[in-house]
Amino acid sequence: MEVRSVLSVGATLGEGPVWARGRLWFVDIKRHHVHRFDPASGAHDRWTAPDQIGWVLPSTRGDLIAGVKTGLHRFDPATGAFTPFHDPEPHRPGNRLNDAAPDSRGRLWFGSMDDDEAAATGRLYRHGDGHCADSGLAPVVITNGPAISADATTLYHTDTLGKTIWRVALHDDGTLGTPERHVTIEDGAGYPDGSVLDAEGGLWVGLFGGWGVRRYDAMGALMTTVRFPVANVTKIAFGGDGLRTAYATTARKGLDAAALAAQPLAGDLFAFEPGVAGVAVTDAEV
């Protein structure tokens, strides 16, 4: 699969790509930026969040929900305004929100992490039916994913530093079953970062420090590896016509001067043709 840079942004920590409202949205966590990119026209817009921002996702109200270090915010692209409405962790000022996904029922699943990447204070939350609750999964240093099957019966949750993706049964009431180990990334292959499911149930995982993305089947067997010209690939999203183009965010974070010189495209937005379609993102009912 040919991987190409489609937008040069030099993101310190590009993350959270999502196809919504006919555009590709993503963030640069460390620079507090929200990006919107139209592949058809090449138009690119950027906004600045009030703090580190892990993701934006479409909501049923027509705005976007943003995961900012200080909690959940509503983001209005028309005005650039961020309006906070819920902080799940006011007692953990060293944490920030990191990755998120809505399920097909409109519930929002999102995780937190220790901003120093040292303490196991990261938790996974569910926001739905007007309230926010801890998922009950064991805390980890860096939560990632999450990814939810199209029928909202299985949730995939990533412990990045533990190099493990867990598969968990998701019940109708939003409670979770017992986690089962789905994938463990071997030493030397990087760390599992953001993940997303395709229309055939394949799980695509960005590899931070692993120079690419991988696709795993429903049993956790490796199906595809896509190599990138940069080391830190954070997450992909399916977009474009028929959701058949994969867009990938990348990062310059952690690269020294020599590595940056060898990877001039680090931090760019990339695209490739995965040979499979994605699943449309459900607007979060938040």
Side-chain angles (χ1 to χ4, degrees):
M1 300 178 190
E2 179 188 357
V3 175
R4 59 193 184 277
S5 172
V6 293
L7 184 65
S8 179
V9 290
T12 301
L13 186 52
E15 260 290 6
V18 62
W19 186 263
R21 317 284 192 251
R23 305 289 187 273
L24 195 283
W25 300 78
F26 65 101
V27 302
D28 184 343
I29 295 175
K30 295 301 181 181
R31 292 185 178 179
H32 308 179
H33 289 161
V34 177
H35 294 271
R36 180 177 64 189
F37 176 57
D38 181 355
S41 67
H44 172 224
D45 301 290
R46 191 185 75 188
W47 297 262
T48 300
D51 207 324
Q52 295 184 73
I53 179 166
W55 44 268
V56 295
L57 289 167
S59 87
T60 54
R61 295 191 181 191
D63 58 4
L64 298 170
I65 304 300
V68 183
K69 185 179 188 298
T70 50
L72 299 177
H73 287 57
R74 295 193 178 281
F75 169 52
D76 182 358
T79 64
F82 286 81
T83 306
F85 68 93
H86 179 68
D87 183 358
E89 297 182 337
H91 55 298
R92 298 190 181 101
N95 273 12
R96 65 172 175 82
L97 301 188
N98 192 47
D99 201 1
D103 65 27
S104 58
R105 297 172 181 263
R107 297 173 297 203
L108 177 65
W109 298 84
F110 65 97
S112 64
M113 62 170 281
D114 175 24
D115 199 27
D116 291 331
E117 302 181 11
T121 56
R123 285 166 168 78
L124 183 72
Y125 295 92
R126 180 190 74 249
H127 198 303
D129 301 321
H131 69 279
C132 186
D134 191 313
S135 70
L137 294 181
V140 297
V141 179
I142 301 175
T143 64
N144 249 307
I148 304 101
S149 62
D151 62 3
T153 62
T154 305
L155 180 142
Y156 298 88
H157 169 63
T158 300
D159 171 3
T160 292
L161 294 190
K163 295 187 173 183
T164 299
I165 301 171
W166 298 91
R167 183 178 66 248
V168 192
L170 173 56
H171 303 138
D172 288 347
D173 63 357
T175 59
L176 299 175
T178 301
E180 301 177 70
R181 189 182 301 271
H182 187 63
V183 171
T184 296
I185 303 300
E186 72 275 14
D187 289 346
Y191 294 85
D193 205 315
S195 61
V196 65
L197 288 155
D198 61 37
E200 297 177 358
L203 184 71
W204 294 78
V205 182
L207 297 175
F208 198 97
W211 297 86
V213 299
R214 289 180 175 179
R215 183 191 187 214
Y216 292 90
D217 70 11
M219 301 305 296
L222 178 61
M223 301 177 72
T224 306
T225 299
V226 182
R227 298 291 295 176
F228 274 63
V230 297
N232 299 331
V233 186
T234 53
K235 190 174 183 177
I236 76 163
F238 293 91
D241 292 341
L243 302 178
R244 299 195 67 88
T245 298
Y247 294 94
T249 47
T250 65
R252 297 166 63 88
K253 181 178 181 288
L255 301 179
D256 60 20
L260 288 172
Q263 302 173 47
L265 301 180
D268 284 3
L269 178 70
F270 289 81
F272 63 93
E273 311 310 319
V276 63
V279 179
V281 174
T282 301
D283 289 357
E285 294 183 2
V286 176

